Amino acid sequence: MNILLVSASQRADSNSIEVARYLQTNILNDLDSVQSGILDLSLYPSLLEHYGTSRDDVTSLDNDKAEVLSLLYACDAVVFITPEWGGMIPPALINLFLLSANGSANGLPLAHKPAFAIGISTSNGGSHPISLLKGYTAKNSHLAWLPLHGIIQNVEAFLA
């Protein structure tokens, strides 16, 4: 099984990518027959501007889009690790779901794949990303959201 961990923060060296690395190193790497990869959305800032009209470097955008879609198509399951930004999910994650819709992706790269949501917060939050993810993304992405989810509050203490 190939599990893709999606670090949804747009910030480089975020807590989201640290949680993804922690999960991969301390849990997934110890499981037989499980391969894992990490999709760090902070490495693809051009995808945030995917729907903008002032793109000069269309080649880099197309390359980034193809690379991200190939990761989505290749995985068997997805774990979304998303920070709570004022009660919302990051815009880059919303664009990822728009990018993976049928019309944009020439198919449905996430269709019928099991998905697990992890909300993280540097304080006592983290629950809002879960409801937003499951409510906003189920229709067009055709993800099969698991009924369980994770919330990591005070994430810096968790990672220490």
Side-chain angles (χ1 to χ4, degrees):
M1 173 176 252
N2 184 8
I3 298 175
L4 182 64
L5 302 164
V6 177
S7 170
S9 180
Q10 296 165 210
R11 297 178 183 159
D13 301 318
S14 66
N15 287 326
S16 298
I17 190 64
E18 291 303 319
V19 169
R21 289 178 185 141
Y22 177 89
L23 293 173
Q24 186 178 44
T25 302
N26 295 302
I27 297 173
L28 297 177
N29 286 350
D30 293 337
L31 299 174
D32 294 334
S33 307
V34 172
Q35 298 173 351
S36 62
I38 296 176
L39 171 56
D40 182 358
L41 293 184
S42 72
L43 300 177
Y44 300 96
S46 64
L47 295 182
L48 184 58
E49 303 166 0
H50 175 67
Y51 295 98
T53 56
S54 61
R55 288 292 310 165
D56 291 331
D57 189 6
V58 176
T59 303
S60 111
L61 174 64
D62 289 342
N63 291 341
D64 286 352
K65 180 180 171 182
E67 186 175 334
V68 168
L69 287 175
S70 71
L71 290 170
L72 297 177
Y73 274 113
C75 72
D76 299 311
V78 190
V79 176
F80 292 96
I81 303 155
T82 182
E84 182 173 275
W85 286 15
M88 299 181 69
I89 56 178
L93 184 56
I94 292 171
N95 271 12
L96 177 71
F97 287 114
L98 292 172
L99 178 71
S100 66
N102 190 25
S104 299
N106 296 321
L108 292 165
L110 297 173
H112 312 292
K113 293 181 181 181
F116 185 75
I118 300 175
I120 67 168
S121 176
T122 57
S123 63
N124 292 327
S127 61
H128 289 102
I130 305 299
S131 59
L132 288 170
L133 276 174
K134 291 182 177 184
Y136 177 74
T137 62
K139 179 184 175 285
N140 291 329
S141 68
H142 299 275
L143 279 166
W145 285 104
L146 298 177
L148 302 173
H149 55 266
I151 298 173
I152 302 173
Q153 298 175 329
N154 303 305
V155 67
E156 291 165 344
F158 172 82
L159 292 169

